[in-house]
Amino acid sequence: MASSPKLNSKIPQGELETKWTKYRSTVHLVNPANKRSLEVIVVGSGLAGASAAATLAEMGYKVKVLCFQDSPRRAHSIAAQGGVNAAKNYQNDGDSIYRLFYDTIKGGDYRAREANVHRLAEVSGNIIDQCVAQGVPFAREYGGTLSNRSFGGTQVQRTFYAAGQTGQQLLLGAYSALQRQVGMGAVQLLARHEMMDVVNIDGKCRGIIARDLVSGKLERHFGHAVLLCTGGYGNVFYLSTNAMGSNVTAAWKAHKKGAFFGNPCYTQIHPTCIPVSGDHQSKLTLMSESLRNDGRIWVPKKKDDNRKAIDIPEEERDYYLERRYPAFGNLVPRDVASRAAKERCDAGYGVGSSKMAVYLDFAANTERYGKIQANKLGLHNPSKDEIIKLGKEVVKEKYGNLFDMYKQITGEDPYEVPMRIYPAVHYTMGGLWVDYNLMTTVPGLYALGEANFSDHGANRLGASALMQGLADGYFVIPYTIGDYLSEEIRTKSIPTDNDAFVKAEAEVQERINKLMNIKGSKSVDHFHKRLGKIMWDKCGMARNKEGLTQAISEIQALKAEFWKDVRVTGDANEFNPELEKAHRVADFIELGELMCKDALHRNESCGGHFREEYQTPDGEALRDDDNFAYVAAWEYKSDSNFELHKEELKYDNIKLAQRNYA
């Protein structure tokens, strides 16, 4: 199978281990004097955006950053809890760059590019050094060395962490670097601004149209290059672990202006979330994967067992992950753990009032930590109560904020009783298709972090999102963007009264007017909830041909109804959150249709894409490497009309095999 002629991944020639090193040594450069006349727009200020903007500004480029929050510190990267991966082998347990590369390819069910993933593994160690230098307070061992913990999909400890708030601490580091450049005048920061469209001139991306969310005013911004660092699209499901503002609008507008969308159906379901409690909820809360990997997952062996967890004896508990996957146990990847939890609940073994939950139990580890601590303190023959007390202190130090959060939300004390968890939408592996340089199919338009599709295949391993965002921003884009901008040094700043800018702004204004003038009877949230239910029921943890076909028809009908009967209150020329949501939900509806079409065309199961028709006798994902070992890159042609392009995935360094975690 040959890749589509419209797709050029631009992967360097040579051995895998030397591709990135050789590329960095031979890529075209921009001299310091020329950098000062080149303008770069960065949309989004999370880990990918803040790190890219700070680094590019420090290199001498003129940088403009937009974020829809009131501060970059509120970017959704702040919500990441468990940690960031890096192949430093601090535990001396056999880790290496190759091991991280292999685990990531395997964890993604062999649907990611070898070259991109190996580069990610190569630069992972630099991320830790950079963040330590910035003052990120990673957890440390007694002797002062950085601590590591376990995460899913691996048999080594490579996850660096800062209690249960790693994302927040990493973002503060990147934010500090960004603010330093703002203070020096190298970066112009525009908070409370949302990108509404991209502007292409003569086949290249030359800027964006943005909306000042406070005044409602539309603005035109020129850039020699535009970087989209706008995160994922999990909120297409309405209920997810994403922040309420997380959306697909920037990526979707780029898609409709020529940027292909890669693997949109690849959605990650996180296995350790607090279960849904009712229709009143607008989002779900994640409990870090580090808890699953340090605790034990179980359900009662008896169906519909209504006893309290502490009243169910050990011999009547089914530690189903340890039973089904003895080699990895609770360390299986997220997609495997999620499907296993769903299977147990669907079979009647779920717990809690909804019966759609399983237990995450820390009792055994609390006791183990307590015994270790007792030995450290020289306590001989400590009582069970003393051991538990000491163990709780250790657990509190490692996970205290997560345990407190669980108690605040559920009213139950996880130090005393097991947590109840259930899978929920968390991350999207799909995104804008990019080449090795992180450039989309539109020259000059880049996508970084979760906004692109490139590094995780069909499933992301835990603690790899922070790794990719910082790798793209700190260590990849500073090299790759120079290759493009070196050809743009003769391009002067294009005035924003150019016809292309005027036309793009007029199109945005027309869309705003249309939304405001519908004056229908149903709220934006009404349509978002209905879309979310369609997506979760028919394109969620499990999909099938019949359901996906129905979903496409239902979404098309929902779209027609939205544009006929949505009601957007307030005024366009003011701060109007309802108008913001309306734009985003309109884009989610269109994206949802493409996601279902992508899931329908891929007649296999792989990673987070589980087609019920394609599974092994044991219920595991059944890939079809002969027919589907490719990236699905979709080109927007017209309303509900998308053309599929295929990028062949070649594996020269890893042998394709069905994943086995048993």
Side-chain angles (χ1 to χ4, degrees):
M1 169 180 46
S3 297
S4 165
K6 288 191 176 183
L7 298 175
N8 181 2
S9 59
K10 297 181 181 178
I11 297 173
Q13 297 297 313
E15 295 296 321
L16 183 67
E17 294 81 3
T18 61
K19 285 182 188 291
W20 178 237
T21 301
K22 185 176 180 180
Y23 176 94
R24 287 185 303 164
S25 301
T26 57
V27 70
H28 294 132
L29 302 176
V30 181
N31 81 52
N34 286 332
K35 286 175 184 173
R36 291 193 287 270
S37 63
L38 292 170
E39 302 177 48
V40 179
I41 296 174
V42 179
V43 184
S45 62
L47 285 180
S51 59
T55 307
L56 293 175
E58 190 168 6
M59 293 171 69
Y61 294 107
K62 295 171 64 176
V63 179
K64 186 179 292 183
V65 177
L66 289 83
C67 66
F68 65 73
Q69 300 92 347
D70 60 351
S71 167
R73 289 176 297 175
R74 295 187 186 275
H76 186 54
S77 299
I78 201 171
Q81 298 167 345
V84 53
N85 288 332
K88 280 186 168 290
N89 196 29
Y90 278 12
Q91 302 294 323
N92 197 29
D93 55 4
D95 200 11
S96 65
I97 289 173
Y98 181 85
R99 180 83 63 180
L100 175 53
F101 158 70
Y102 175 81
D103 286 344
T104 304
I105 291 285
K106 178 183 176 182
D109 218 351
Y110 304 92
R111 290 294 178 261
R113 281 192 201 131
E114 281 193 337
N116 286 66
V117 176
H118 196 276
R119 176 175 66 187
L120 179 64
E122 285 181 69
V123 304
S124 64
N126 297 337
I127 294 171
I128 305 305
D129 297 339
Q130 171 94 359
C131 294
V132 169
Q134 290 174 336
V136 173
F138 286 120
R140 294 179 179 269
E141 301 293 349
Y142 179 77
T145 57
L146 298 182
S147 182
N148 293 124
R149 57 188 177 198
S150 300
F151 256 63
T154 72
Q155 291 179 306
V156 298
Q157 289 181 274
R158 64 163 67 102
T159 303
F160 295 78
Y161 64 97
Q165 50 182 253
T166 312
Q168 178 179 358
Q169 298 302 328
L170 292 175
L171 184 60
L172 287 173
Y175 169 75
S176 298
L178 173 62
Q179 285 299 116
R180 178 172 179 267
Q181 297 303 319
V182 171
M184 295 173 65
V187 171
Q188 181 184 0
L189 176 62
L190 298 174
R192 304 299 291 159
H193 280 67
E194 184 159 26
M195 192 197 98
M196 306 302 292
D197 209 348
V198 296
V199 179
N200 296 336
I201 300 176
D202 296 330
K204 294 183 178 181
C205 182
R206 293 302 191 190
I208 65 170
I209 304 298
R211 181 171 180 266
D212 183 328
L213 297 180
V214 177
S215 68
K217 180 184 177 183
L218 296 181
E219 301 176 356
R220 309 168 190 172
H221 298 278
F222 164 79
H224 290 89
V226 174
L227 277 55
L228 300 184
C229 310
T230 49
Y233 49 87
N235 278 349
V236 68
F237 292 88
Y238 186 70
L239 285 179
S240 81
T241 66
N242 289 191
M244 289 294 291
S246 297
N247 64 86
V248 76
T249 289
W252 194 249
K253 299 307 184 190
H255 174 54
K256 296 179 80 169
K257 285 292 182 72
F260 292 5
F261 214 103
N263 297 333
C265 78
Y266 286 168
T267 306
Q268 178 166 89
I269 312 296
H270 199 295
T272 56
C273 299
I274 298 177
V276 176
S277 60
D279 292 338
H280 64 282
Q281 278 185 275
S282 56
K283 79 176 298 294
L284 297 174
T285 303
L286 170 70
M287 301 308 295
S288 171
E289 178 161 307
S290 58
L291 298 177
R292 167 170 70 97
N293 300 328
D294 211 359
R296 302 181 75 189
I297 305 291
W298 63 277
V299 293
K301 290 183 178 179
K302 185 175 72 174
K303 287 187 177 182
D304 298 317
D305 194 329
N306 293 316
R307 289 177 293 175
K308 294 181 179 179
I310 55 176
D311 294 332
I312 300 176
E314 187 73 14
E315 62 272 13
E316 295 182 34
R317 301 180 179 188
D318 177 16
Y319 295 94
Y320 59 89
L321 290 178
E322 299 171 38
R323 169 174 55 82
R324 291 181 60 178
Y325 310 102
F328 280 72
N330 296 299
L331 290 171
V332 293
R334 290 174 176 177
D335 61 314
V336 176
S338 293
R339 284 196 295 275
K342 181 179 186 296
E343 184 276 328
R344 287 290 81 191
C345 291
D346 289 349
Y349 297 94
V351 302
S353 58
S354 68
K355 299 298 181 183
M356 296 300 287
V358 299
Y359 286 128
L360 170 54
D361 199 333
F362 254 73
N365 275 19
T366 298
E367 185 172 347
R368 179 171 61 85
Y369 285 134
K371 290 179 179 178
I372 293 172
Q373 195 68 5
N375 286 331
K376 286 182 180 180
L377 297 174
L379 299 178
H380 302 291
N381 299 318
S383 68
K384 180 74 172 288
D385 289 343
E386 288 176 316
I387 290 173
I388 298 301
K389 181 180 178 182
L390 291 170
K392 286 180 179 178
E393 291 174 356
V394 176
V395 170
K396 185 174 183 179
E397 182 179 352
K398 293 170 72 74
Y399 306 110
N401 64 312
L402 299 175
F403 276 56
D404 293 344
M405 182 170 65
Y406 182 88
K407 184 176 181 180
Q408 289 172 359
I409 293 172
T410 66
E412 299 175 354
D413 186 353
Y415 290 105
E416 303 297 333
V417 298
M419 295 181 185
R420 287 176 293 109
I421 58 169
Y422 192 72
V425 173
H426 177 57
Y427 187 92
T428 49
M429 287 75 67
L432 293 178
W433 183 92
V434 293
D435 61 20
Y436 190 74
N437 296 328
L438 305 184
M439 188 188 289
T440 69
T441 46
V442 177
L445 180 63
Y446 294 80
L448 281 64
E450 193 178 356
N452 73 35
F453 87 100
S454 67
D455 290 2
H456 306 295
N459 173 64
R460 177 176 67 78
L461 293 184
S464 287
L466 303 184
M467 176 174 61
Q468 185 207 351
L470 291 176
D472 286 356
Y474 280 137
F475 302 111
V476 178
I477 198 65
Y479 288 96
T480 62
I481 199 171
D483 192 52
Y484 173 76
L485 291 179
S486 65
E487 302 295 326
E488 296 296 319
I489 57 177
R490 294 179 180 83
T491 302
K492 304 298 181 184
S493 293
I494 298 175
T496 55
D497 60 0
N498 180 282
D499 288 346
F501 279 95
V502 174
K503 181 182 178 183
E505 182 182 327
E507 291 172 350
V508 172
Q509 187 63 58
E510 181 182 359
R511 182 182 173 92
I512 291 173
N513 294 341
K514 186 176 180 180
L515 284 168
M516 297 302 302
N517 291 329
I518 295 172
K519 300 187 185 303
S521 63
K522 297 182 179 69
S523 70
V524 176
D525 284 337
H526 168 85
F527 289 97
H528 198 176
K529 287 180 180 179
R530 285 172 58 189
L531 173 66
K533 180 170 176 54
I534 295 170
M535 295 299 297
W536 178 251
D537 289 346
K538 296 171 182 176
C539 194
M541 260 199 286
R543 303 102 184 257
N544 59 58
K545 181 179 181 179
E546 180 182 3
L548 290 167
T549 303
Q550 291 174 354
I552 292 169
S553 297
E554 290 173 12
I555 292 171
Q556 289 174 344
L558 183 69
K559 178 181 177 180
E561 185 182 346
F562 174 89
W563 285 104
K564 180 181 178 181
D565 200 27
V566 72
R567 183 173 183 82
V568 181
T569 56
D571 190 88
N573 300 314
E574 64 181 10
F575 175 64
N576 190 341
E578 285 301 304
L579 179 57
E580 294 174 37
K581 286 194 293 184
H583 283 294
R584 297 166 185 171
V585 172
D587 294 330
F588 276 139
I589 292 173
E590 294 182 4
L591 168 68
E593 181 181 354
L594 178 59
M595 290 174 67
C596 292
K597 288 184 175 180
D598 186 39
L600 182 61
H601 106 275
R602 189 171 283 276
N603 293 319
E604 66 165 351
S605 291
C606 55
H609 169 64
F610 190 76
R611 282 283 296 272
E612 293 175 337
E613 306 96 319
Y614 307 101
Q615 55 182 300
T616 68
D618 296 326
E620 302 296 340
L622 183 62
R623 296 196 324 271
D624 181 354
D625 296 328
D626 291 336
N627 295 302
F628 292 96
Y630 60 76
V631 177
W634 295 88
E635 179 183 6
Y636 178 84
K637 306 297 284 187
S638 61
D639 188 34
S640 295
N641 181 18
F642 308 89
E643 181 180 349
L644 173 63
H645 301 273
K646 301 176 182 179
E647 179 200 341
E648 181 184 6
L649 291 171
K650 297 180 180 179
Y651 293 94
D652 300 320
N653 298 273
I654 286 181
K655 181 181 178 181
L656 284 167
Q658 288 296 321
R659 288 189 304 174
N660 181 9
Y661 293 98

